[in-house]
């Protein structure tokens, strides 16, 4: 359909106005977080909250970085999240492939359904059983307790993401590789994975974010500062009689930064990966 | 045999290396962590006590506590203290998980609402023999120790007190033409509209949600001579309001008081959704004139010197009899192998030296010299009431829900009185504490 330039301009303007509105709506909490982290206490606890900062300060950031164990928490979160991401990715590549290519086996379908069902159990129900399990395994207060728990929570969805992508790859490619003498593992690593980079990135990011943002198990399994992760660590700024909002916001900004940077760099892959496998053919 | 291409070999190696790295990382991590939680200290005989406290390390009080504990640690070569800071918001869930798994700390802070629950879980050590032999056993307020004694056994120790008093902004009252705060509910209801008209500020504040809501409701019920659960002949508890029409009427009067405060613009309409933070913050900023609150508000003076400059203390306005909620924050000693050492540490935490340094305004010891602010609160200790020693989590929620039913659902006070009585007994039944069950 042909439309005049004027109409085109109007449609484009409306589109951008709506998009800017939505962006502001989505970004407002983050902007408020940044603004609060740069305000002195008396401007945070005021009757007339304002976006404008009269006396900007970095005292909250200094307090977070020098007066708390934030850097330890950060390091722990990075470590746990990276290990969980790597473990989830390796497991889900093979599990996703099996679910995609061995559908004719009844057990595989059943396994897929079981994985799906496992996602329907709220985490809080597993809190005490998992605590008991970790205690029996002498893993309470170790990184391993978190790595094991997070990996088990992350693998099912990662598997379905990988399965969706493998489903969209024509079987002919594998058959060609097989004729050329490639083994099944070779096919996965040499044929499927090189063309599934976007899916790998989005799956990895999902795994990473899942463990990066987890709070409940991080708080229950870990009892000392050396092993505490970011989310429970930030919560410590909620004091006995009042909340140190400035430090809480500053630490939140510092926690969000790596995720934001990651998203900026990997956004292209993420969008491709998320839509991969959505349409077959 | 077919030759594997070089690239595939590399891929396979990479995958194997990655797997091995993960196995190594997960296998090696955390192995050192048990050093901090194991009960082997730096010396052969030293015992490590795990102590979970909800202190705030950013405050002077928190720093003083840490210093005092460090001092104890240094003076006792046979005891090491492993202090873990865990906020109250998550401390309860962490403790429940740890107790259930038989992995509780040796000692912890707690709230009065948890005493009955943890006792039911058989998690608490019986400290009666230690207490009886202790030279300072008679130095505590009797009603405080009573709140921590179940079936004649001392099941927790007083960490600090949170006695509630009426805090009021003198300037707002003067602006409205009043020289003194209200002594009764009726006076408060009369003063409310006048204060609103003359100062454009609400007279009173309360919390409609969270743990503070049930604590405030306790105050008003106690001022009517009511208890949420009474011990029966079989040693269990029951809410008896429905057995006595007069009692039920009194409960309805309490809810009517809430309703009147709302209807006559004595309180900010937003108070129905306030938690403790909103209540405290709005008072500190002098957004309303009066609140029934704890001594901790003094700590906000440095942050809001203007708002806090005219704050004065009085007894809470009452109805039938003077009463106030006395939050007894307990120190829990759990059933561990090291009860003797745990008691030694606990008795230090209750000593005059520690309490004077940490809790001058809120100590349960009668010999701790309070500052001017603390003295006003301590005067009210004799009229302090606490929660009965039953498992309270469901009951607190029902008390909070009763206020929501009144404020948001507009149920009648009589309906809510009956509903709350039933809800309390249902909760007691769920936790096997209901008399006759």
């Amino acid at each position: 359909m042909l439309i005049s330039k004027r109409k085109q301009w109007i449609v484009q303007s409306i589109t951008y106005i709506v998009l800017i509105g939505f962006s502001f709506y989505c970004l407002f909490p983050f902007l408020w977080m940044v603004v609060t982290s740069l305000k002195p206490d008396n401007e945070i606890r005021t009757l007339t909250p304002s976006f404008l900062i009269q006396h900007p300060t970095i005292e909250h950031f200094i307090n977070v970085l020098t007066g708390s164990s934030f850097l330890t928490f950060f390091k722990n979160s990075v470590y746990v999240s990276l290990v969980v991401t790597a473990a989830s990715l390796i497991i889900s590549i093979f599990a996703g492939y099996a679910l995609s290519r061995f559908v004719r086996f009844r057990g595989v379908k059943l396994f897929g359904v079981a994985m799906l069902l496992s996602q329907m159990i709220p985490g809080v129900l597993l809190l005490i059983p998992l605590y008991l399990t970790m205690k029996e395994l002498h893993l309470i207060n170790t990184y391993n307790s978190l790595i094991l728990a997070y990996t088990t929570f992350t693998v099912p969805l990662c598997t379905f993401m990988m399965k969706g992508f493998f489903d969209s790859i024509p079987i002919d490619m594998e058959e060609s590789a097989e004729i050329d003498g490639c083994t099944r593992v070779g096919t996965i690593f040499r044929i499927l994975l090189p063309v599934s980079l976007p899916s790998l990135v989005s799956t990895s990011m999902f795994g990473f974010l899942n463990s990066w943002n987890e709070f409940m198990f991080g708080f229950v399994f870990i009892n000392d500062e050396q092993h505490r992760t970011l989310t429970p660590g930030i919560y410590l700024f909620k004091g006995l009689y009042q909340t140190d909002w400035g430090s809480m916001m500053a630490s939140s900004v510092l926690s969000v930064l790596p995720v934001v940077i990651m998203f900026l760099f990997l956004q292209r892959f993420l969008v491709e990966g998320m839509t991969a496998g959505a349409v077959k053919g | 045999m077919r030759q594997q291409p070089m690239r595939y070999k590399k891929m396979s190696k990479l995958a194997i290396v990655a797997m091995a790295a993960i196995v190594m990382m997960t296998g090696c991590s955390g192995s050192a962590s048990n050093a901090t939680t194991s009960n082997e200290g730096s010396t052969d005989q030293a015992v490590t006590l795990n102590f979970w406290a909800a202190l705030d390390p950013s405050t002077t009080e928190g720093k003083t506590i840490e210093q005092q504990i460090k001092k104890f640690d240094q003076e006792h070569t046979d005891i090491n203290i492993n202090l873990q800071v865990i906020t109250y918001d998550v401390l309860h869930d962490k403790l429940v998980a740890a107790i259930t798994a038989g992995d509780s700390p040796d000692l912890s802070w707690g709230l009065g609402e948890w005493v009955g629950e943890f006792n039911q879980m058989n998690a608490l050590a019986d400290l009666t023999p230690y207490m009886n032999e202790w030279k300072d056993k008679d130095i505590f307020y009797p009603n405080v120790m009573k709140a921590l004694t179940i079936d004649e056994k001392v099941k927790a120790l007083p960490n600090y007190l949170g006695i509630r008093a009426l805090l009021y902004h003198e300037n707002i009252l003067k602006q409205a033409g009043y020289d003194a705060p209200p002594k009764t509910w009726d006076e408060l209801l009369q003063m409310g509209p006048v204060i609103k008209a003359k100062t454009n500020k609400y007279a009173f504040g309360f919390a409609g949600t969270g743990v503070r809501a049930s604590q405030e409701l306790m105050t008003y019920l106690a001022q009517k001579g009511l208890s949420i659960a009474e011990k029966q002949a079989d040693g269990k508890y029951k809410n008896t309001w429905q057995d006595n029409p007069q009692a039920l009427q009194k409960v309805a009067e309490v809810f009517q008081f809430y309703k009147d405060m709302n209807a006559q613009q004595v309180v900010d309409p937003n108070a129905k959704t306030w938690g403790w933070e909103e209540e405290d913050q709005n008072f500190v900023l002098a957004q309303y004139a009066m609140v029934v609150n704890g001594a901790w508000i003094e700590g906000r003076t440095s942050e809001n010197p203007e708002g806090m400059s005219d704050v004065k203390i009085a007894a809470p306005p009452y109805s039938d009899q003077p009463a106030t909620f006395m939050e007894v924050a307990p120190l829990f000693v759990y059933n561990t192998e090291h009860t003797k050492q745990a008691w030694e540490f606990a008795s230090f935490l209750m000593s005059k030296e520690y309490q004077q340094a940490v809790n001058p305004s809120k100590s349960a010891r009668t010999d701790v010299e309070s500052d001017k602010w603390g003295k006003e609160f301590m005067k009210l200790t004799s009229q302090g009431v606490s929660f009965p020693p039953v498992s309270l989590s469901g009951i607190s929620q029902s008390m909070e829900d009763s206020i929501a039913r009144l404020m948001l659902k507009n149920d009648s006070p009589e309906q809510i009185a009956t509903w709350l009585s039933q809800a309390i007994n249902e909760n007691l039944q769920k936790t096997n504490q209901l008399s006759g069950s």
Side-chain angles (χ1 to χ4, degrees), chain B residues 367-408:
Chain B
D367 60 348
V368 167
E369 290 165 34
S370 307
D371 52 15
K372 195 183 161 192
W373 182 277
K375 265 184 188 146
E376 296 293 328
F377 278 89
M378 287 306 174
K379 275 185 202 168
L380 302 170
T381 311
S382 58
Q383 55 176 267
V385 287
S386 304
F387 282 113
V390 292
S391 187
L392 275 165
S393 52
I395 293 173
S396 297
Q397 188 57 55
S398 297
M399 291 170 84
E400 195 184 323
D401 290 348
S402 66
I403 294 167
R405 280 171 170 264
L406 183 85
M407 299 287 181
L408 305 170

Side-chain angles (χ1 to χ4, degrees), chain A residues 35-48:
Chain A
V35 165
T36 306
S37 69
L38 294 167
K39 279 180 180 176
D41 277 334
N42 62 340
E43 285 183 46
I44 293 172
R45 297 180 188 280
T46 175
L47 294 173
T48 48

Side-chain angles (χ1 to χ4, degrees), chain A residues 45 47 79 90 131 135 141-142 144 181 186 219-220 222-224 227 235 238-243, chain B residues 2 8 19 25-26 29 33 37 56 84 87-90 94 101 103 276-277 281 287 300 303 362:
Chain A
R45 297 180 188 280
L47 294 173
Y79 173 73
I90 288 169
Y131 191 97
K135 185 186 168 259
N141 233 9
T142 65
N144 291 347
F219 226 124
V220 172
I222 302 297
N223 298 329
D224 68 1
H227 297 87
Y235 208 75
K238 198 171 168 64
L240 185 53
Y241 301 123
Q242 59 181 314
T243 303
Chain B
R2 191 166 44 82
Y8 169 57
M19 285 285 262
M25 279 195 284
T26 55
S29 67
S33 70
T37 51
D56 184 349
Q84 283 307 311
T87 59
Y88 269 130
D89 289 1
V90 288
K94 251 183 96 71
D103 193 37
W276 64 267
E277 277 201 274
Q281 186 61 27
Q287 284 304 285
R300 307 290 286 270
E303 191 187 299
K362 48 181 184 169

